[in-house]
């Protein structure tokens, strides 16, 4: 009888694009809710397309398993303009 060990599956990735604009006081605020993307390439293309329209844009990804609350370190895929510190 063999041990039915499955190969290690790749962790799902959370891939997000966010854009920021300045409010009346000059503070950076999200221009819209974070947009989840299907691929890193698409996130980069989307962020590049938004870069000239907002004060700042960032595309980032990280391994994520929201069902158990596990998240890896974020990796910046593309950034342009002014983006607040992401915690």
């Amino acid at each position: 009888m063999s041990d039915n060990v499955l190969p290690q599956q790749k962790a799902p990735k959370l891939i997000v694009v966010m854009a920021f604009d300045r409010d009346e006081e000059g503070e950076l605020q999200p221009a819209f809710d974070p947009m989840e993307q299907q691929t890193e390439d698409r996130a980069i293309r989307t962020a590049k397309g938004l870069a000239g329209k907002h004060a700042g844009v960032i595309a980032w990804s990280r391994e994520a398993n929201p069902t158990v609350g596990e998240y890896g370190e974020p990796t910046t895929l593309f950034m342009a303009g002014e983006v607040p510190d992401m915690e």
Side-chain angles (χ1 to χ4, degrees), residues 14-20 32-51 54 56-61 77-78 86:
L14 176 63
I15 306 167
V16 176
V17 172
M18 296 181 71
F20 300 89
F32 45 77
D33 288 335
M35 295 188 304
E36 191 168 345
Q37 303 293 307
Q38 295 299 312
T39 67
E40 291 180 348
D41 287 340
R42 184 177 182 123
I44 292 167
R45 284 194 309 272
T46 300
K48 285 182 177 180
L50 293 169
H54 298 279
V57 177
I58 188 168
W60 57 271
S61 70
L77 305 171
F78 175 85
M86 306 300 282

Side-chain angles (χ1 to χ4, degrees), residues 2 28 37 49-50 56 65 70 72:
S2 67
L28 288 171
Q37 303 293 307
L50 293 169
N65 190 345
E70 291 180 0

